[in-house]
Every structure is written in C-alpha cells, then in structure tokens.
Amino acid sequence: MEKDFWLERWEKKETGFHQEDFNPHLQQFWKQLGMPQGCEVFVPLCGKSLDLLWLRDAHHRVLGVEISSLAVQSFFEENGMRPSHGHIGKFEFCEADGIGVLCGDFFDLEEEDLAGVGAVYDRASLIALPAEMRERYAEHLAKILPVGTKVLLIALEYDQGEMSGPPFSVSEEEVEALFGGFAEVKRIASIDALEENPRFRTRGLTRLLENVFLLEVN
C-alpha cells in the first residue's frame, strides 16, 4: 500500500475513516497521560481530524503530519482558519491557531522534527497500515520520538477473515510486539464497538473491539 492509495482516497472523497466529531476515547482517556498544558502533541497521519481541535482546546500545542495536501487544506478551510505557509525540511508546513501540520510523508520525519514532542495521539494511523508497514511505522517512531514520550493508541481488533482492511485488525499481542522493544505498553480499555459502528456489520463483521493503549517510550 503506497502513498498514492491515500492520495486517491482523498481525491475521490472516500474518507469513511474521518470522524465528524471528537473521538470519545480521546476525551475519556487523554487525562491518563498526565500531560501538562503547553505540551506539544504529535498526531501522525492526521487527515482533517477534529481531534486536532480538541487537543488544541485542551491547551496543547498540536503538530500533525499528513500526506494529502487536500486533507490539510480541507482541515483549515472547514474550521475557518487561514494558515501561514512555510517549509521545514521535505515538508510544507501550515500553521494557524496553535495547530501546525507538516504536509508530506511520515517516513521522511527526522528526530529533530519531533524534538519538542511530549505526547502522541494515534487513532487512525497504525490501523490504516498493512502488516509490513505497521512494523516499519513502529520502527520509525522508535527512531524519532524523544525518550519519555507518552502515546495514546487506539486500535481495532476483529476477525481479519471477515473483512479486509483498511482499517486493519491489530491485536494486543501485535501492539506489544511492535512497540514493546522501545516502550512500556499497557492496555487501559477494551470496548465492544460493533453496535456503534453499523457500517462494519454491513461489511461482514460479527465482532469488533476498540482497544485503548497507553505507551511510554523508554
């Protein structure tokens, strides 16, 4: 699955992964990270997520990265913002009202790009990637995240034989395998999510869990 796949999804407006409200698990569990006001929060593969606004309104500086310039443009336009534009390394950088987004490839990020980050919020990044790219994603995070960074990770778990991703099923065991080598991993919630997501039932699922994890980079 190459970046052109996601660029095409945005161009065709095939964005069923986009949520039209704040994520309830973010609202419920974010406080467990214990992050101070003013802490910079990194949101990988952020799309035009409204969760960027929630994090900003929780008094954090927000830094996202997104491959689709259309998604970045839509985020600022739909929320009535007029961002400034510049360049940081290989990225175009758009910023307004306490929210900055690096437009480019996540895998081009370098350690210095995230030097000020204290926390990460991942709702739709890991589960958007097939298995081989999930391993690469975790390995890259290990290289670029500062020691002590805390991560709120939300993953879906279901029978992959009933539905092909994305979003992909990522089990608790896989999360531990991917991140356990460089971070402490703790599952803090497991929610039966099928009733609240009927579109997945129509795709053939008979069981769907949303697992919420707290990670701390060591």
Side-chain angles (χ1 to χ4, degrees):
M1 181 181 293
E2 301 297 329
K3 61 183 181 181
D4 288 345
F5 173 86
W6 293 108
L7 293 173
E8 185 176 352
R9 291 284 293 268
W10 281 104
E11 289 170 359
K12 293 183 176 181
K13 299 182 178 181
E14 296 174 350
T15 55
F17 48 84
H18 174 69
Q19 293 186 333
E20 298 293 342
D21 202 350
F22 303 137
N23 185 274
H25 306 319
L26 171 63
Q27 297 177 79
Q28 181 177 359
F29 297 110
W30 182 255
K31 61 184 178 182
Q32 293 196 26
L33 275 67
M35 306 312 300
Q37 293 186 5
C39 167
E40 185 169 65
V41 180
F42 174 55
V43 185
L45 284 63
C46 63
K48 58 176 185 177
S49 173
L50 296 179
D51 293 336
L52 301 174
L53 300 175
W54 189 93
L55 289 164
R56 189 275 312 275
D57 292 345
H59 307 289
H60 296 299
R61 292 177 292 121
V62 181
L63 177 67
V65 66
E66 170 55 45
I67 192 71
S68 169
S69 59
L70 180 59
V72 176
Q73 178 183 348
S74 296
F75 171 77
F76 287 108
E77 287 183 352
E78 291 173 10
N79 292 291
M81 300 180 188
R82 299 181 65 181
S84 61
H85 295 264
H87 286 86
I88 297 178
K90 297 181 179 181
F91 298 88
E92 180 181 1
F93 183 61
C94 303
E95 183 176 23
D97 299 337
I99 299 173
V101 181
L102 295 160
C103 186
D105 191 333
F106 164 84
F107 293 105
D108 286 333
L109 286 170
E110 299 182 0
E111 188 175 355
E112 54 264 34
D113 296 322
L114 304 185
V117 165
V120 176
Y121 170 59
D122 179 346
R123 178 195 75 82
S125 304
L126 186 66
I127 61 174
L129 303 173
E132 64 277 6
M133 289 191 72
R134 292 197 291 270
E135 185 173 354
R136 184 183 173 205
Y137 171 82
E139 289 174 350
H140 195 59
L141 281 179
K143 294 177 182 178
I144 62 178
L145 287 180
V147 172
T149 299
K150 294 183 179 180
V151 182
L152 186 68
L153 168 66
I154 302 171
L156 298 179
E157 185 173 356
Y158 61 87
D159 182 351
Q160 194 80 72
E162 294 181 342
M163 183 184 84
S164 59
F168 295 96
S169 176
V170 182
S171 68
E172 181 176 1
E173 291 76 17
E174 183 176 353
V175 170
E176 179 66 44
L178 289 171
F179 298 100
F182 69 95
E184 179 183 348
V185 178
K186 179 182 179 182
R187 190 186 71 179
I188 57 176
S190 185
I191 300 102
D192 185 345
L194 191 57
E195 290 300 323
E196 297 177 0
N197 295 274
R199 66 189 179 95
F200 289 117
R201 190 185 294 277
T202 62
R203 290 179 64 180
L205 288 192
T206 57
R207 178 175 175 271
L208 176 67
L209 295 178
E210 279 189 292
N211 293 322
V212 184
F213 300 89
L214 174 59
L215 287 61
E216 184 168 356
V217 177
N218 50 38

